[in-house]
Amino acid sequence: MMPNTMMPNHFFVDENGEDRFKFKEEDTHSTSAGSGCDSSSCAGLGDSPGTWNREPILPIEPPPGLSLPAVSQRAGQSLCQFRPPPGLETFSNVLPTTITYSPQGFRQEATKIFRELKLHKNVGLAVSQVRRQGVPHDRQAAEFADLLTIALEETRGPARRVCVAFIGGLTKAFAVEQCILGLEIFFHEIYEDLRIEVPDLSKRIASELLPTLRPLLEAGDFDRVAALQVHCFSLKRWERK
């Protein structure tokens, strides 16, 4: 018995003898009523064989309970753009461009910045977070003194050194003169009470704070800060006598 070598009736060999198959034009371009497809219901139907078997583009439906914005028109097709789910905001709304400063709000934000800084240890990120708070020029000295107090109160050495490095970075977020004024506020108004809670406060300043500030300040400015520390340390020794 001879094997059946007949080709399927929907393929044929090109007249030029090329060894390839093609669809019959009469089948692919049929627009009869029984085909179930016309120019308006089938998308992507064209003369190119690569587009003959494309699926129709179905309209996008919103999830249950969600509404859709206005429909935009593109190439005769209705395209929908989803809104964020309820309770979620777009990225532009999560990070406001401006923040209204208040002492209480800044203190809460500073506590959060210190807590996160001890985890990620990214001083640059912490400094940028402070800069984004928009502290007014006339409040920078007072805020610098408060931040310095929080940093020096830290009992764990590695975490405290990261916080002190952050204090040095504030010279790039605040005006340098305001930072120096903040150091003066710290030594004149905070140092005496803080050293009761932190017995080795003078050691922390001499071994951690001053080496951090030395390369960040001009020579004259650093001498002013160092003189303040020496004055407070001398006063402490005089009181012990």
Side-chain angles (χ1 to χ4, degrees):
M1 180 182 294
M2 294 294 290
N4 185 4
T5 60
M6 296 181 62
M7 297 178 63
N9 58 2
H10 58 285
F11 291 105
F12 68 93
V13 181
D14 194 356
E15 294 178 355
N16 296 328
E18 296 181 2
D19 188 13
R20 60 181 181 176
F21 297 106
K22 296 181 179 179
F23 290 98
K24 283 186 177 180
E25 287 188 87
E26 61 183 8
D27 291 332
T28 58
H29 291 284
S30 175
T31 57
S32 62
S35 63
C37 179
D38 55 24
S39 59
S40 62
S41 61
C42 291
L45 183 62
D47 295 334
S48 174
T51 63
W52 289 347
N53 294 328
R54 287 186 180 178
E55 295 290 337
I57 296 178
L58 300 178
I60 300 176
E61 296 295 335
L66 297 181
S67 59
L68 291 179
V71 178
S72 61
Q73 301 294 328
R74 181 181 177 186
Q77 299 293 333
S78 296
L79 301 177
C80 298
Q81 182 179 6
F82 287 101
R83 288 194 181 101
L88 297 181
E89 298 176 330
T90 59
F91 184 76
S92 61
N93 294 330
V94 174
L95 294 178
T97 55
T98 58
I99 298 178
T100 302
Y101 168 84
S102 68
Q104 182 179 3
F106 180 79
R107 184 58 184 259
Q108 295 176 352
E109 187 65 23
T111 302
K112 176 183 175 183
I113 291 173
F114 271 112
R115 183 175 62 250
E116 295 177 350
L117 174 63
K118 296 171 187 177
L119 297 176
H120 59 65
K121 298 178 174 59
N122 189 333
V123 174
L125 175 60
V127 172
S128 66
Q129 290 173 326
V130 172
R131 185 184 294 113
R132 196 160 54 235
Q133 299 303 310
V135 180
H137 186 269
D138 58 350
R139 287 290 305 170
Q140 291 179 359
E143 299 296 2
F144 185 92
D146 289 342
L147 294 175
L148 176 59
T149 303
I150 297 174
L152 293 176
E153 285 177 334
E154 173 60 46
T155 57
R156 296 168 296 174
R160 184 176 63 251
R161 284 186 283 273
V162 173
C163 293
V164 171
F166 162 67
I167 295 299
L170 290 179
T171 58
K172 307 300 181 182
F174 296 163
V176 175
E177 184 61 29
Q178 294 300 312
C179 294
I180 297 174
L181 291 177
L183 287 165
E184 292 180 353
I185 294 174
F186 172 81
F187 282 111
H188 290 155
E189 302 178 10
I190 303 174
Y191 180 87
E192 290 301 319
D193 294 332
L194 185 60
R195 69 185 178 88
I196 299 175
E197 302 176 9
V198 184
D200 63 338
L201 179 60
S202 60
K203 181 180 178 181
R204 297 182 184 185
I205 294 175
S207 62
E208 299 175 5
L209 179 61
L210 294 183
T212 300
L213 295 177
R214 183 185 295 273
L216 300 174
L217 300 177
E218 298 291 339
D221 294 335
F222 179 79
D223 290 342
R224 288 170 55 189
V225 175
L228 290 171
Q229 194 270 341
V230 170
H231 172 74
C232 292
F233 183 73
S234 301
L235 180 62
K236 177 183 176 182
R237 293 183 60 185
W238 180 81
E239 289 178 349
R240 286 181 175 180
K241 293 180 180 180

